[in-house]
Amino acid sequence: MQANFKRVATDEEGYDPAQVDEMIGLARTQFADPSSRVLRAAVLRTSQFRLVKGGYEIGAVDAALDRLDDAFAANEAKRLLAKRGHQGAQLHLDEMKKLILGRIDRPKSHRFDAASLFHKGYSKRQVDAVADLIAQALNGENELAISYLRQLVFSPRWGGYQENQVDAYIDKAVEFLQLSRGIL
């Protein structure tokens, strides 16, 4: 099933339509039968597509996936409430919060593993600043928009943090904020 996204010019790169169509097809299947559990919000958040000439516009696909991610997360919050009740769902959120804040308790510049010697990683200073913002938000000291976390771009640095660890951490923070909307 083909998605309805605008394509970039034939000499420009965009997302591979076949890969995007497959992901959108899975999302449609999930919405048609929410009990099927074909796709989770986390899969949408971490999806990556090959770049091809004449592919789908990247911004349009990313925006659509963000909307789907939010809708899936809202459904996951409803399922969690139905399965565990409000108190059980709150305990789940408390466990997630503890896990997320555990990284912040580590000393700055040592919150994540460093990239290997021959690879650049994310700027430790930038990542630590974002981690502090996340901690403040989880402690109720400020508001943090999910869109801000989705649009983060860290500068590459020798000796920086391992990208996969930071990406997983940001993803967990997004998941927590999304579930919090549906549970609290």
Side-chain angles (χ1 to χ4, degrees):
M1 178 177 286
Q2 187 174 1
N4 192 21
F5 293 108
K6 185 177 177 185
R7 290 180 181 253
V8 297
T10 56
D11 61 335
E12 293 180 33
E13 288 188 331
Y15 285 146
D16 183 333
Q19 290 181 326
V20 173
D21 291 345
E22 181 180 355
M23 181 68 69
I24 297 299
L26 289 173
R28 287 179 177 154
T29 300
Q30 178 72 29
F31 272 117
D33 181 11
S35 65
S36 65
R37 308 264 166 76
V38 174
L39 193 60
R40 293 190 62 235
V43 173
L44 289 169
R45 270 192 302 281
T46 59
S47 60
Q48 296 181 348
F49 306 106
R50 218 175 25 247
L51 295 176
V52 297
K53 299 235 185 237
Y56 287 147
E57 273 188 2
I58 293 170
V61 173
D62 286 347
L65 290 177
D66 288 347
R67 289 189 301 274
L68 281 171
D69 177 26
D70 288 338
F72 275 51
N75 286 339
E76 288 172 12
K78 288 177 189 173
R79 279 196 299 276
L80 184 62
L81 281 168
K83 183 178 179 180
R84 295 188 179 184
H86 189 74
Q87 188 174 12
Q90 183 62 51
L91 283 172
H92 179 76
L93 282 177
D94 290 345
E95 290 170 12
M96 287 180 72
K97 181 178 177 180
K98 185 177 178 181
L99 179 72
I100 294 167
L101 292 175
R103 284 276 179 190
I104 309 302
D105 291 339
R106 297 176 183 185
K108 287 187 179 198
S109 296
H110 299 286
R111 291 178 172 165
F112 301 91
D113 292 340
S116 66
L117 187 59
F118 300 108
H119 294 91
K120 289 185 178 182
Y122 290 147
S123 164
K124 289 182 177 183
R125 183 183 53 77
Q126 291 173 350
V127 171
D128 285 341
V130 169
D132 289 340
L133 288 175
I134 291 170
Q136 291 167 4
L138 269 58
N139 289 323
E141 298 167 21
N142 71 10
E143 297 257 341
L144 187 59
I146 292 171
S147 59
Y148 170 77
L149 294 176
R150 285 179 173 146
Q151 296 171 6
L152 285 171
V153 177
F154 299 110
S155 300
R157 297 283 187 265
W158 293 111
Y161 287 137
Q162 282 187 11
E163 294 177 7
N164 61 340
Q165 284 187 348
V166 175
D167 291 344
Y169 177 79
I170 299 294
D171 181 54
K172 188 57 76 177
V174 167
E175 181 182 0
F176 176 86
L177 293 171
Q178 287 174 320
L179 288 176
S180 295
R181 284 182 185 169
I183 293 173
L184 300 178

